Amino acid sequence: MMKWIAGALILTGLMINPVLAGDLSVEDFEVKTTKDLIDLCTAPLDDPLYPKAIHFCHGYLVGAYHYYEASTAGPNAAPIVCPPKKRPSRDETIQKFVEWAKAHPQYWNELPVETEFRFLTEIWPCAK
């Protein structure tokens, strides 16, 4: 399943216009590393790819989280992330993730989904 998701993300990245005139590159859209994802999430407003970058950022992070929620929805699930009942907005959570990732450059070469869940388990750990 993860190979299929990775393939879909790479294919999406390849469909992006190859002529880039900003800070972003086609390689950023392959999101091979956390740094690639952070580059997309922090794209400058004047970058020609800003709209695609910010939507990709949100889609990646929300999609990974929704997959996690679906995989832990059963009666025998053992969740690792337990958000508060009154959740912050999507934008607030993504901003916190970006700030956290910038403060933890040691994870920049890891897969973005691993870094996302490292962050989530740190801010919303489940009580044992």
Side-chain angles (χ1 to χ4, degrees):
M1 182 66 162
M2 291 303 287
K3 286 184 180 182
W4 180 86
I5 292 171
L9 290 173
I10 289 171
L11 192 58
T12 300
L14 294 175
M15 292 187 298
I16 302 294
N17 183 356
V19 179
L20 304 176
D23 295 326
L24 296 175
S25 69
V26 172
E27 289 77 25
D28 289 325
F29 286 89
E30 293 175 8
V31 290
K32 292 179 182 178
T33 67
T34 297
K35 176 149 180 6
D36 293 339
L37 182 61
I38 296 304
D39 287 347
L40 296 174
C41 295
T42 60
L45 288 170
D46 62 346
D47 190 295
L49 290 176
Y50 172 80
K52 292 177 182 180
I54 203 66
H55 292 148
F56 194 102
C57 164
H58 283 227
Y60 184 97
L61 293 167
V62 171
Y65 188 75
H66 282 180
Y67 179 84
Y68 161 77
E69 283 186 313
S71 71
T72 59
N76 298 322
I80 60 171
V81 176
C82 295
K85 289 185 193 265
K86 185 174 190 276
R87 295 183 184 191
S89 73
R90 178 188 68 203
D91 290 343
E92 290 171 326
T93 304
I94 290 172
Q95 183 59 40
K96 285 181 189 246
F97 168 70
V98 168
E99 292 168 5
W100 182 92
K102 285 181 174 182
H104 295 85
Q106 67 269 31
Y107 304 127
W108 287 1
N109 288 322
E110 288 188 3
L111 292 172
V113 70
E114 290 178 9
T115 305
E116 176 181 1
F117 282 89
R118 186 181 307 273
F119 161 74
L120 290 171
T121 58
E122 185 176 303
I123 66 163
W124 296 328
C126 295
K128 294 190 179 202

